[in-house]
Amino acid sequence: MTDEIINKVANSRLKVIDLEDFYPDGKRVTFDIKNWLLGGLVLREKDFRNYVSEHNWSQYQDNYVALYCSTDAIVPDWAYMLIAVQLQNIAKLSVIGNLEHLESIIYSQIISGLDASDYANVPVIIKGCSNKPVPANALVLLSQRLKPIAKSIMFGEACSSVPLYKRKK
């Protein structure tokens, strides 16, 4: 008697989403404006505007840019806006914050544009482990996006998933 091994996961309607698969190409860089401030603390508008106009923005071509100030300076919002305007048609995206915040915004855009119809009325597992920097916030956003349409949502791997949601009949 031969006992055939049957892969029940492969034969099920279960869909696995690995957010790492959606990770977009493009270098992630930080841009610290402290060197454009007097003593790293005071923004002088004329000097700041000169730095902005003389800076080589092309080095950020197709990059994702996180803008920040590493000192305790009080930076007016328009300063970041001025830099973002320069990066508009060069960088893929620029945000105020650190690299983790940048990834969170990138994934927020990806998830909001995701065609979720493939996950309608089926059990879904959101894969948790990845080799790329998938922020925890992306997992939260994805679970919220799927809840109205998925039959159930689990987290982890098919062999050891944690149930998060199951639609009541």
Side-chain angles (χ1 to χ4, degrees), residues 1 7 13 24 33 35 42 74 86 91 116 120 134 138 144 146 153:
M1 181 172 165
N7 186 339
R13 293 183 54 209
I33 67 166
N35 294 328
V42 178
I74 298 172
Q86 295 298 315
V134 175
Q144 291 172 333
L146 294 174
I153 303 171

Side-chain angles (χ1 to χ4, degrees), residues 78-150:
W78 65 260
Y80 291 111
M81 294 167 68
L82 186 63
I83 294 170
V85 167
Q86 295 298 315
L87 290 168
Q88 179 66 36
N89 294 317
I90 297 168
K92 289 184 178 182
L93 177 70
S94 59
V95 301
I96 298 172
N98 59 21
L99 291 174
E100 184 178 347
H101 182 71
L102 175 65
E103 289 297 340
S104 185
I105 298 294
I106 291 168
Y107 270 98
S108 175
Q109 291 178 347
I110 290 167
I111 292 166
S112 68
L114 180 68
D115 178 10
S117 63
D118 289 346
Y119 309 105
N121 301 312
V122 296
V124 177
I125 292 182
I126 300 172
K127 190 173 174 188
C129 297
S130 63
N131 294 316
K132 295 181 181 171
V134 175
N137 193 49
L139 300 168
V140 169
L141 293 172
L142 182 59
S143 62
Q144 291 172 333
R145 176 109 160 90
L146 294 174
K147 184 182 175 195
I149 62 166

Side-chain angles (χ1 to χ4, degrees), residues 43-97:
L43 187 145
R44 292 177 48 184
E45 183 176 352
K46 184 177 179 183
D47 293 340
F48 190 83
R49 287 184 179 276
N50 284 338
Y51 287 126
V52 169
S53 67
E54 294 171 5
H55 190 70
N56 175 16
W57 297 106
S58 65
Q59 64 185 307
Y60 304 101
Q61 185 68 46
D62 297 326
N63 288 195
Y64 292 93
V65 182
L67 307 170
Y68 75 105
C69 182
S70 62
T71 64
D72 288 331
I74 298 172
V75 179
D77 293 336
W78 65 260
Y80 291 111
M81 294 167 68
L82 186 63
I83 294 170
V85 167
Q86 295 298 315
L87 290 168
Q88 179 66 36
N89 294 317
I90 297 168
K92 289 184 178 182
L93 177 70
S94 59
V95 301
I96 298 172

